Amino acid sequence: MQSHYDYLIVGAGITSAVFAHEASKVGKSCLVIDRRSHVAGNIYTEEVEGINVHKYGAHIFHTSLRPVWEYVNRFAEFNNYVNSPMAVYKDELYNMPFNMNTFSKMWGVRTPAEARDIIEEQKAACAVHEPKNLEEQALSLVGRDVYEKLVKGYTEKQWGRDCAELPASIIKRLPVRFIYDNNYFNDRWQGIPIGGYTAMVERMLGDTEVLLDTEYRDFIAEHPGIADRVIYCGPIDEYFDYRLGALEYRSLRFESERVECDNWQGNAVVNYTEREVPYTRIIEHKHFEFGTQPVSIITREYPATWERGDEPYYPINDERNGALYAEYAKLAEQEGNVVFAGRLGGYKYYDMDKAIDAAFDVVKAELEVDLRA
């Protein structure tokens, strides 16, 4: 380790990897630290019996941002995986997102006109004109059948509260397609990096020094002034020692299992939409890369109440937390040599492509390099 760097980068996820790569290209010295024992943050994949296991939940790369797509392809070759999840409700199996395959199974219809008529009839029967909560919002968008079977239980598990107690703003829209198309995303490009996300992030980091199992607070206390600038991708409230209070998140718990068969559920992602089933989905990882291994690894994903010290996954962007974050953002502006970035630094949920695009902004502001040019 050197005695001094241009940049100390806190966190070894995708935002940090983009910045470290670009800073190194222009001759800046960087040190990346992370409290975990591995790089790649929540997109970390671990090889188990030849299968790249998504250790922190399924991550499917998708984007309509050409500069972002061209950028990630510098570091990985992407396969042609298309996300087409299934949903289980009691003994019924449905295609996601909501499309003609879903409606055909649910109501026995064949034409878009038949499906539209049923949805419009159910929406009218609900008579919701100004939705006051998530339940009313969903009913006003898709009607009762789709809501009861495919939205209600899953959403209540995810957020730990009844839909009638959740703000309508959580569901601004629900994608409804009147075509037979199970592709979950509308983006132009989609896929999984062949060989896993960890290898991609490692290529981005290149020769940048990385210290793992390292807490920022302890490290900076031992090495004050080690860098001219800090790119901080950890929780913004933790940086300020929670002096204004803790921002809230939803967390997740994962249970993985090796199964003695080559194809356990027939799909990478299967959602379980009943509230009585404690997990929200089961991932069979090999299907992300069309694996042919004789065994399989499955992971059940359980939503969890977040407490300080737990892994924060989903910011709860309600009015209280928004106001609290705004106060922390004011403190952040006074830090001078610290740039708060990424999902935790900005208290904002990002899809991977949006996280990379936001990292481009940091690169431009700090290094005067325009990665969209």
Side-chain angles (χ1 to χ4, degrees):
M1 190 174 75
Q2 299 173 196
S3 59
H4 189 79
Y5 297 84
D6 294 312
Y7 286 97
L8 172 65
I9 304 171
V10 182
I14 192 74
T15 299
S16 299
V18 170
F19 187 84
H21 182 82
E22 297 305 320
S24 297
K25 279 175 63 176
V26 296
K28 302 293 185 182
S29 56
C30 300
L31 174 65
V32 175
I33 66 172
D34 198 293
R35 60 171 43 145
R36 288 172 170 172
S37 59
H38 58 76
V39 300
N42 284 353
I43 63 172
Y44 172 67
T45 48
E46 178 182 55
E47 186 180 323
V48 180
E49 304 215 29
I51 300 166
N52 288 308
V53 174
H54 297 219
K55 295 294 284 186
Y56 301 96
H59 286 85
I60 299 100
F61 193 89
H62 58 98
T63 189
S64 293
L65 302 172
R66 181 182 292 275
V68 171
W69 180 243
E70 292 176 348
Y71 190 81
V72 293
N73 274 270
R74 299 183 200 172
F75 307 100
E77 181 182 355
F78 283 73
N79 67 16
N80 62 338
Y81 175 83
V82 171
N83 189 31
S84 302
M86 302 297 296
V88 175
Y89 175 79
K90 299 187 184 295
D91 294 325
E92 302 167 11
L93 190 65
Y94 293 100
N95 290 105
M96 298 287 283
F98 314 137
N99 70 81
M100 283 304 300
N101 289 308
T102 318
F103 308 141
S104 178
K105 176 70 178 289
M106 189 170 289
W107 300 312
V109 299
R110 291 179 55 190
T111 69
E114 291 174 303
R116 284 182 194 276
D117 286 346
I118 292 174
I119 290 175
E120 290 304 318
E121 182 181 333
Q122 292 190 4
K123 286 164 60 175
C126 293
V128 177
H129 303 295
E130 295 184 9
K132 299 180 180 63
N133 54 54
L134 188 148
E135 178 169 279
E136 292 183 352
Q137 175 79 341
L139 288 170
S140 72
L141 292 171
V142 293
R144 187 160 299 279
D145 286 352
V146 174
Y147 168 70
E148 293 283 355
K149 292 187 175 186
L150 301 179
V151 177
K152 178 178 167 63
Y154 188 94
T155 305
E156 290 180 344
K157 287 188 288 189
Q158 191 77 6
W159 293 101
R161 292 162 61 187
D162 289 345
C163 284
E165 298 172 1
L166 290 165
S169 59
I170 290 179
I171 296 183
K172 294 184 174 62
R173 64 183 187 88
L174 284 170
V176 176
R177 295 182 188 154
F178 293 97
I179 55 175
Y180 290 89
D181 179 7
N182 299 324
N183 182 355
Y184 194 81
F185 301 118
N186 292 315
D187 289 308
R188 180 170 179 181
W189 297 287
Q190 167 175 190
I192 303 287
I194 297 170
Y197 286 102
T198 302
M200 181 182 82
V201 172
E202 287 173 344
R203 292 187 197 102
M204 295 170 79
L205 290 168
D207 295 329
T208 300
E209 284 189 71
V210 179
L211 290 179
L212 301 174
D213 300 304
T214 301
E215 289 281 353
Y216 170 74
R217 188 172 296 279
D218 297 337
F219 181 81
I220 207 67
E222 294 175 19
H223 306 280
I226 193 168
D228 293 333
R229 304 276 288 168
V230 176
I231 307 296
Y232 185 85
C233 298
I236 189 170
D237 52 350
E238 183 179 303
Y239 177 90
F240 292 105
D241 201 24
Y242 305 102
R243 73 175 71 163
L244 304 177
L247 292 163
E248 293 178 295
Y249 294 85
R250 285 292 285 169
S251 194
L252 295 170
R253 178 172 61 86
F254 304 99
E255 288 184 359
S256 293
E257 177 185 351
R258 180 186 190 271
V259 290
E260 295 292 336
C261 70
D262 63 351
N263 184 7
W264 189 78
Q265 67 181 10
N267 206 48
V269 182
V270 177
N271 294 347
Y272 287 78
T273 62
E274 291 173 78
R275 188 166 183 174
E276 293 72 23
V277 177
Y279 42 85
T280 49
R281 58 186 182 175
I282 299 179
I283 308 302
E284 188 169 10
H285 302 270
K286 68 189 305 177
H287 296 305
F288 289 127
E289 297 185 63
F290 316 112
T292 58
Q293 298 85 353
V295 300
S296 197
I297 308 295
I298 63 170
T299 300
R300 292 175 175 85
E301 189 171 306
Y302 297 81
T305 300
W306 178 84
E307 295 179 3
R308 197 182 300 180
D310 295 339
E311 197 61 47
Y313 286 94
Y314 302 107
I316 299 179
N317 294 124
D318 58 15
E319 189 173 337
R320 188 198 80 83
N321 285 289
L324 181 56
Y325 169 71
E327 293 303 308
Y328 275 120
K330 290 177 185 176
L331 292 179
E333 291 173 1
Q334 301 168 21
E335 285 300 284
N337 69 333
V338 181
V339 177
F340 293 84
R343 177 176 59 93
L344 300 176
Y347 193 63
K348 181 177 181 181
Y349 180 79
Y350 283 108
D351 285 332
M352 278 182 286
D353 67 323
K354 302 303 189 299
I356 292 169
D357 192 53
F360 287 0
D361 290 333
V362 179
V363 167
K364 187 172 183 178
E366 286 291 311
L367 307 173
E368 298 182 346
V369 173
D370 187 356
L371 293 171
R372 301 186 187 94

